Amino acid sequence: MGVSPITSHVLDAARGSPAQGVPITISYAPTSQAATAGQSTVIARGVTNNDGRCPALLEPSYVLNAGVYTVRFDTKTYFALHGEKSFYPFVDVAFEIDQA
């Protein structure tokens, strides 16, 4: 069994436990200029499991092409599940893969 080429593990530091129920979106843009201009395409969606992981975001055979990938964690939805407000509605983690 293969694994998604992009994975995540979300922990709730305040509770000291995995963060179950965090919606995650992965977007792709071929260049940093396109990403900055909002010209990204959503390539995957998922929600963290009871271990705070989202192991099947992408098919194991998915090839990561050169470009900018952004993983968005919908923290507002997660905190709303716990009856709390969120200062940050989402958290983006962006990274760029070169041709090499």
Side-chain angles (χ1 to χ4, degrees):
M1 181 167 118
V3 72
S4 172
I6 298 176
T7 62
S8 68
H9 191 192
V10 184
L11 302 173
D12 185 329
R15 289 183 177 77
S17 63
Q20 180 179 2
V22 178
I24 298 174
T25 305
I26 300 177
S27 300
Y28 167 78
T31 65
S32 58
Q33 293 85 359
T36 301
Q39 299 169 345
S40 298
T41 302
V42 173
I43 60 171
R45 295 181 192 277
V47 178
T48 56
N49 62 18
N50 62 344
D51 192 33
R53 298 178 191 271
C54 199
L57 283 167
L58 296 166
E59 292 295 323
S61 60
Y62 187 90
V63 176
L64 296 175
N65 295 314
V68 176
Y69 293 83
T70 303
V71 182
R72 174 168 283 187
F73 300 91
D74 181 354
T75 52
K76 183 174 184 174
T77 296
Y78 171 74
F79 284 110
L81 288 172
H82 295 279
E84 300 173 14
K85 290 185 177 182
S86 174
F87 183 73
Y88 299 104
F90 57 86
V91 174
D92 284 346
V93 176
F95 59 94
E96 187 169 15
I97 295 178
D98 291 334
Q99 290 282 46

